[in-house]
Amino acid sequence: MVSGPVDVPLEYVRLGLRFDRLEEGFVDAYTGDRRIRAQVADEPAPTPQGLRDQARGLLRELESSDLPADRVQHLRGQLTALECTARTMAGEPVGYRDEVQAYFQVDVALGDEASYAAAHAELEELLPGSGTLAERYAVHRRREECPPASLEKAVHALSSALRDRVRSSYGLPEAETVAYEVVTDKPWSGFNYYAGDYRSRVAINADLPHRTSQLPHLVAHESYPGHHTEHCRKEMGLVERAGHVEHTVFLVNTPECLMAEGLADLGLEAAVGAGWGPWTAEVLADLGLRLDGDLAERVSAAAAPLNRVRQDAAIMLHDQGASADDVVAHLQRWSLVSHDRAVQQLRFLTHPLWRAYITTYVEGYDLLARWLHARPAEQPVADRFLRLLDEPLTPGRITAELAG
């Protein structure tokens, strides 16, 4: 009996669902046929070695498939990441930098402390007064804290304002909705749970103080035009119109994560752009919340190079064998965060599922920001950003476009 050709996209979906049986939360979102998930749930318990071999087999099948180049490129990146994940789950030795490269198609290195010092110098000018810079920065951040009782209504106000902009600039299905909820005891500040059918649930972690200047970034990242918008447009286009079943599952620690986090971190720039600080102040003023929007925007730009310090911490911890105390001290020194905030960041960096994930924010933002800014002079930001929302682009593809 001769077997037919392997349906690589469908088998990739099954493989991804099997990983979730070994590590709950590995499937970030699944919007496909429920019967497929039920079938996978009824299978014998998977093993890391078995999943590794399945990923390798699908990579071989992919090379002889008749799929178009963009689907092959996407699936190759995803399957390469899954093969590496299976090896780490099996206890095979994989260097941290090699792990990050296999997951996200980027190479990582420690940041330049001179650029951090330059950022500190700029912040010194923006935040004059007595005390150390860290103390003055902490005072500035506390001044911007959103009262807990106002957090939910502030999120809803910003979400409504951003949604209006995204609907006019990028288009959204009429049926799309986002429900917000406040949660505690999580290693992240916000999380999008996409349920399919253009519906998302966004959780906001109340354990961390939320600043009014950061709330528009958070809402843009999780909802408009970030994760929720991307899921909606890809479900509407790649899945429903084009029938690309591989986009019914979204898997952690794969190249699509770097793309998703990078585009989400660019969300406020893509939806509002320069002047987002005063725009935010105007939206929140209706709720009785005060914000110096101009200062917030300038401080945010000055502090941007310090975002890379979080990746330094991961490299120190997992590649260089630094102690937790040394990593916390590094975060406090260069990121200008409190001890408690540094410990919270360390919690994320040491979580088994998320230890490499910080790269998606650091390298994802930098890569896609360079690509967005390298657009032709006559091309609007919205046209370029729409490609991120709609196409199965990969970090490798973006890097190649920048080089070309």
Side-chain angles (χ1 to χ4, degrees):
M1 181 177 178
V2 179
S3 61
V6 174
D7 186 338
V8 177
L10 178 58
E11 292 307 314
Y12 157 77
V13 171
R14 294 183 187 275
L15 179 60
L17 294 173
R18 291 177 188 126
F19 272 89
D20 203 56
R21 294 187 62 189
L22 289 181
E23 179 71 65
E24 186 178 358
F26 194 85
V27 171
D28 181 81
Y30 179 65
T31 62
D33 190 332
R34 294 180 182 178
R35 291 171 296 181
I36 295 174
R37 190 161 207 170
Q39 290 166 4
V40 170
D42 287 340
E43 294 174 352
T47 65
Q49 295 86 350
L51 298 185
R52 176 201 62 198
D53 293 344
Q54 290 169 42
R56 290 174 178 174
L58 288 176
L59 280 167
R60 289 192 296 270
E61 293 287 345
L62 187 63
E63 297 310 312
S64 59
S65 74
D66 58 358
L67 294 171
D70 61 343
R71 295 184 74 182
V72 169
Q73 189 175 50
H74 171 77
L75 285 164
R76 184 186 296 118
Q78 297 296 108
L79 288 165
T80 298
L82 294 183
E83 190 271 347
C84 183
T85 291
R87 286 191 284 126
T88 62
M89 285 180 169
E92 295 183 26
V94 180
Y96 181 72
R97 297 184 197 222
D98 292 336
E99 182 182 352
V100 170
Q101 215 291 326
Y103 290 166
F104 307 124
Q105 300 179 351
V106 293
D107 296 316
V108 295
L110 292 174
D112 180 9
E113 291 188 355
S115 72
Y116 303 157
H120 285 195
E122 193 169 350
L123 289 169
E124 289 271 10
E125 294 185 8
L126 290 170
L127 302 172
S130 59
T132 67
L133 175 60
E135 289 169 343
R136 280 176 279 143
Y137 195 40
V139 169
H140 169 76
R141 292 165 73 94
R142 283 196 298 273
R143 191 181 297 125
E144 288 189 343
E145 283 182 14
C146 181
S150 300
L151 178 60
E152 197 162 354
K153 63 181 181 181
V155 165
H156 279 284
L158 290 165
S159 181
S160 178
L162 285 167
R163 184 175 186 252
D164 288 344
R165 284 177 170 257
V166 170
R167 277 189 169 274
S168 62
S169 297
Y170 301 107
L172 284 167
E174 281 298 322
E176 63 82 23
T177 58
V178 177
Y180 294 92
E181 64 177 2
V182 177
V183 300
T184 57
D185 194 30
K186 299 295 182 183
W188 33 256
S189 59
F191 205 99
N192 176 291
Y193 298 92
Y194 188 67
D197 296 325
Y198 314 129
R199 294 174 294 112
S200 283
R201 175 172 59 90
V202 170
I204 309 292
N205 185 3
D207 286 343
L208 300 175
H210 288 276
R211 292 178 291 121
T212 49
S213 65
Q214 281 301 109
L215 284 178
H217 291 279
L218 180 63
V219 175
H221 183 106
E222 303 296 346
S223 302
Y224 306 107
H227 294 324
H228 171 71
T229 303
E230 182 191 9
H231 280 306
C232 285
R233 290 195 61 91
K234 283 190 167 71
E235 182 177 359
M236 181 172 60
L238 291 176
V239 176
E240 294 187 354
R241 291 181 191 154
H244 294 182
V245 68
E246 63 269 28
H247 293 284
T248 61
V249 67
F250 190 91
L251 305 174
V252 169
N253 292 334
T254 61
E256 67 185 354
C257 294
L258 185 136
M259 297 297 299
E261 300 297 357
L263 81 84
D265 271 351
L266 283 164
L268 193 60
E269 178 178 339
V272 181
W276 65 260
W279 176 86
T280 300
E282 185 177 345
V283 172
L284 295 181
D286 291 340
L287 305 177
L289 297 173
R290 298 184 62 185
L291 171 69
D292 184 336
D294 181 63
L295 178 62
E297 191 165 345
R298 293 167 67 196
V299 168
S300 178
L306 306 182
N307 289 333
R308 187 166 286 273
V309 177
R310 299 174 296 167
Q311 182 167 270
D312 289 352
I315 294 172
M316 291 170 62
L317 194 65
H318 302 304
D319 184 63
Q320 299 183 338
S323 69
D325 287 344
D326 286 345
V327 171
V328 167
H330 184 81
L331 286 166
Q332 285 187 262
R333 177 187 179 189
W334 291 117
S335 289
L336 302 173
V337 296
S338 68
H339 181 270
D340 288 349
R341 184 63 182 242
V343 169
Q344 175 76 7
Q345 291 180 3
L346 186 67
R347 180 184 174 194
F348 185 77
L349 296 175
T350 54
H351 190 287
L353 188 60
W354 303 113
R355 72 178 210 140
Y357 203 81
I358 195 66
T359 290
T360 65
Y361 302 107
V362 176
E363 302 296 344
Y365 176 83
D366 283 359
L367 178 65
L368 297 190
R370 284 190 287 118
W371 179 82
L372 194 66
H373 298 154
R375 68 188 183 277
E378 69 279 3
Q379 184 181 41
V381 171
D383 288 0
R384 184 80 150 180
F385 193 78
L386 200 60
R387 288 189 61 199
L388 298 176
L389 294 174
D390 289 355
E391 296 180 29
L393 298 173
T394 64
R397 171 77 177 275
I398 294 293
T399 300
E401 290 192 11
L402 281 170

